[in-house]
Amino acid sequence: MTPLPSPSSPLPARSPGSLFLRGGRIIDPASGRDEIGDLLVLDGRISESTAAPTDSTVPVIEAKGLIVAPGLIDMHVHLREPGGAQKETIASGARAAAAGGFTSVLAMPNTNPPADGPNTIALMRQSALETACVNVFTTGCITVGMKGEQLAPIGSLYKAGVVAITDDGHCVQNNEVMRRALDYARMFDLLTLDHCQDYNLSAGGVMHEGHWSTVLGLPGWPRIAEDMIVARNILLSELTGARIHVQHLSSGESVRLVREAKKRNVKISAEAMPHHIALTDESIQGYNTHFKMNPPLRERVDQEALLAGLADDTIEILASDHAPHASYEKEVEFAEAPFGIVGLETELGIFAKILIEGRVLDWPQMLAKLTINPARLLKLDRGTLAPGAIADLTLIDPKRAWKVDAAQFHSLSRNTPFHGWDLPARATHTIVDGNVVWSLEKGFGE
Ligand SMILES: [Zn+2]
């Protein structure tokens, strides 16, 4: 076994590459840079020089008309390895990430077995090292088996290389357990991610509680079940001093709570998902299980609150909650189907459609939420184009219109509500450590 790398450098085995990118729109939200220019990558690092390389073996990419951004980071994905290889593996999830423009992903720990100890983390990191074409960072569970009862060995998980802890998919209901977890997390300045769901208030709920749940006769999962835990987390963060990141916000009220907490300098951060800003509960009229996710699609008012939260930076992260499920699992009655949809291969296009075309954000603002913001929260040495930085890059064609075809996905799963959608922008090259790992033209061919 090759020795495991440090958490921030998951791919030491790959030899760093050199590249010259000519004439692109270079956007580096970390430094505020936004200009047309050339970028030189030497041995896997961004070079200070922008002169064309003298070495004729260095590949040149004509980037005219393309955005040259730091490699996109998705800090919320489910890769299903170990234990769910029919839905996704670390290798297939990484390919889906690359094809969506992502150079780094953060894998949630609700695998089988759950990643609640250093051995599972070592297994996942080894698999990532050997099979993944992008950087795969790991999270560990907050509690043993994600049961919410007994703390996982947070110190050992940290030593094993996790960059955050979470029971995502589950939510620690016991506030005393959560408080102790946060005390440990603070000792290592480890970010705690929380899936915010009060189980009593949401019991049995399969969709948003409102007009449509009444019409469709399906049990509701009300906003208050999310808001209650977001409020709990704000209070616990203030008490313990630990950093808490509230995952996949869906409720407008939760956005208000986070905004107010940030004004008091509480160490709270938040993320929004493509489906929550692109869709509402009205889509569930056909009982299509590709519209079933947790937290559920909500109403227009919530969508507007999420967009306002993204615009004023209350919500500093965009991510997918990529949750692959096999078609036989989703082809059942709505109430019985598992929650979740795939997202890695459509999210950039959805974000461009809703946020850029919708004039909520401009490209630098949007890219900040996909690069430097997640890098800072997770303390990754990525997410910037500063000279000397690791050359993880994403090239984006902001005018490349395309139609989503789930049959073309590199993910092993097809559960998307966005099949057939027309999207306005697409990644064209995904570059990790100075190597093109995927391009729209050549696929994974290089
Ligand atoms: Zn979740």
Side-chain angles (χ1 to χ4, degrees), residues 13 29 67 78-79 98 101 192 249 268 270 310 314 324 334 401 416 437 440-441:
I67 290 170
H78 299 269
L79 298 182
T192 301
L249 282 196
I268 193 111
L310 286 162
T314 298
F334 194 88
T416 177
V437 297
L440 192 52
E441 214 173 291

Side-chain angles (χ1 to χ4, degrees), residues 244-255:
I244 306 184
H245 178 75
V246 287
Q247 297 179 284
H248 44 46
L249 282 196
S250 67
S251 154
E253 195 60 15
S254 288
V255 180

Side-chain angles (χ1 to χ4, degrees), residues 76 78 168-170 195 247-248 294-295 321:
H76 192 151
H78 299 269
D168 181 46
H170 299 267
H195 167 120
Q247 297 179 284
H248 44 46
N294 187 8
D321 196 3

Side-chain angles (χ1 to χ4, degrees), residues 271-292:
E271 69 189 21
M273 273 46 195
H275 41 280
H276 290 129
I277 61 172
L279 300 166
T280 64
D281 59 345
E282 207 180 334
S283 328
I284 299 167
Q285 281 176 80
Y287 295 95
N288 183 337
T289 58
H290 288 165
F291 294 89
K292 181 177 179 182

Side-chain angles (χ1 to χ4, degrees), residues 342-375:
V342 290
L344 278 165
E345 292 171 81
T346 48
E347 62 180 301
L348 180 61
I350 301 283
F351 290 141
K353 183 180 176 71
I354 306 294
L355 301 174
I356 305 288
E357 280 196 339
R359 296 182 181 278
V360 176
L361 301 172
D362 59 22
W363 277 103
Q365 290 166 333
M366 186 176 107
L367 289 170
K369 297 178 196 291
L370 290 160
T371 58
I372 189 64
N373 293 357

